[in-house]
């Protein structure tokens, strides 16, 4: 309100405290980007971090390792001990991996090895490791992860020892786009499964060729069944 000469005499307004609203928005944003069981980043946040990590590696001339971890025989835990025990085991694995990676980073060279650990769902975890020299560093991280997971974990009256199969792909060694890098890591993980589990494997071109050949064979067999092209011979 102004007086007769136009001078400001009185002012009124309404103020709103946005603290609570911002707290709620932050909570929803965290929930959208993190796994509710383990509190780790989920797939959406993983892809965002991986995209940025590859961009940094290309700019700085460093390597990025992408690791897929799939727990061995996790279905048996759910089937024999129940899903509650399975959930506790997943939480234990998330905590163990987080503590292990802090230890690995503390003994790394200057600058450390920034990393993002995430849970994709089920018994699958993914790890992005940045600022490494090459495959030897990635192998060191994978070996430490397997060692850490090997410590017994108590679930009720049962003592469990967790093992995992790990697949690894490297950027820019496997100089491909983000989606292909993820697919390569998945292939490498299944190679570890086929090699007896509780180990890690790197992606290689021969692995890609073998997977392509297998997919082609499966497709040919499926079409042959649909066309009744099989003939049974007794010997």
């Amino acid at each position: 309100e102004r007086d007769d000469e136009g001078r400001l005499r009185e002012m009124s307004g309404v103020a709103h405290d946005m603290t609570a609203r911002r707290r709620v928005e932050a909570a929803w944003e965290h929930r959208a980007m993190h796994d509710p069981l383990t509190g780790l980043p989920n797939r959406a946040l993983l892809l965002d971090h991986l995209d940025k990590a590859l961009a940094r590696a290309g700019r700085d001339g460093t390597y990025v390792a992408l690791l897929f971890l799939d727990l061995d025989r996790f279905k048996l835990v759910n089937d024999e001990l129940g899903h509650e025990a399975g959930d506790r085991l997943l939480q234990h694995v998330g905590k163990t991996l987080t503590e292990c990676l802090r230890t690995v980073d503390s003994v790394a060279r200057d600058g450390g090895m920034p990393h993002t650990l995430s849970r994709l769902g089920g018994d699958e975890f993914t790890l992005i490791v940045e600022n490494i020299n090459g495959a030897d560093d990635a192998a060191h991280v994978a070996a430490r992860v397997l060692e850490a997971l090997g410590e017994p974990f108590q679930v009720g009256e049962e003592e469990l020892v967790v093992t995992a199969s790990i697949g690894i792909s490297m950027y820019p060694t496997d100089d491909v786009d983000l989606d292909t890098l993820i697919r390569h890591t998945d292939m490498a993980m299944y190679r570890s499964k086929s090699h007896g589990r509780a180990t890690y494997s790197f992606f290689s071109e021969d692995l890609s060729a073998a997977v392509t050949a297998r997919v082609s064979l499966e497709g040919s067999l499926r079409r042959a069944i649909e066309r009744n092209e099989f003939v049974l011979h007794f010997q």
Side-chain angles (χ1 to χ4, degrees):
E1 182 180 347
R2 297 180 181 275
D3 59 20
D4 295 338
E5 298 179 1
R7 291 190 296 261
L8 185 65
R9 184 173 64 184
E10 185 178 336
M11 180 183 234
S12 61
V14 178
H16 293 279
D17 186 353
M18 302 296 290
T19 304
R21 178 176 175 179
R22 286 174 180 166
R23 190 180 298 118
V24 171
E25 289 175 348
W28 276 107
E29 183 178 351
H30 183 275
R31 194 172 293 124
M33 291 294 179
H34 290 78
D35 170 49
L37 182 64
T38 63
L40 295 173
N42 61 16
R43 183 180 182 85
L45 193 52
L46 162 77
L47 294 176
D48 178 67
H49 283 196
L50 181 57
D51 188 47
K52 292 174 180 175
L54 298 187
R56 283 191 292 269
R59 183 182 64 245
D60 300 337
T62 57
Y63 286 90
V64 173
L66 179 62
L67 289 74
F68 271 11
L69 296 81
D70 187 271
L71 302 185
D72 298 327
R73 301 180 178 89
F74 176 73
K75 186 175 183 299
L76 288 177
V77 176
N78 277 338
D79 291 345
E80 298 296 328
L81 302 179
H83 288 277
E84 183 178 350
D87 287 348
R88 288 183 59 195
L89 180 58
L90 292 171
Q91 291 171 334
H92 163 73
V93 168
K95 182 179 178 181
T96 298
L97 292 176
T98 300
E99 293 173 351
C100 170
L101 292 169
R102 287 200 193 105
T103 304
V104 170
D105 197 47
S106 69
V107 298
R109 67 183 187 283
D110 292 342
M113 294 188 294
H115 53 264
T116 299
L117 173 66
S118 63
R119 178 182 175 228
L120 296 186
D123 59 343
E124 295 180 338
F125 294 80
T126 305
L127 174 60
I128 305 167
V129 187
E130 299 184 61
N131 194 32
I132 61 177
N133 288 321
D136 287 346
D137 282 348
H140 172 70
V141 173
R144 291 291 295 271
V145 164
L146 291 175
E147 181 182 4
L149 289 177
E151 294 294 323
F153 171 62
Q154 197 75 27
V155 178
E157 298 180 356
E158 300 292 333
E159 188 176 74
L160 304 179
V161 175
V162 185
T163 64
S165 297
I166 302 178
I168 308 171
S169 61
M170 302 288 300
Y171 181 87
T173 304
D174 304 322
D175 190 5
V176 292
D177 59 74
L178 186 148
D179 290 336
T180 306
L181 190 71
I182 292 174
R183 190 167 64 252
H184 285 180
T185 315
D186 199 44
M187 290 181 191
M189 185 272 291
Y190 279 105
R191 170 179 274 180
S192 294
K193 290 283 188 188
S194 67
H195 284 182
R197 309 171 192 266
T199 188
Y200 61 86
S201 300
F202 283 87
F203 171 79
S204 61
E205 288 301 330
D206 67 301
L207 174 59
S208 180
V211 170
T212 300
R214 187 173 71 244
V215 170
S216 177
L217 177 60
E218 290 175 355
S220 297
L221 290 173
R222 191 176 297 107
R223 287 190 296 273
I225 292 173
E226 293 171 353
R227 298 169 183 169
N228 295 316
E229 294 176 346
F230 280 100
V231 178
L232 179 62
H233 292 273
F234 290 96
Q235 182 175 351

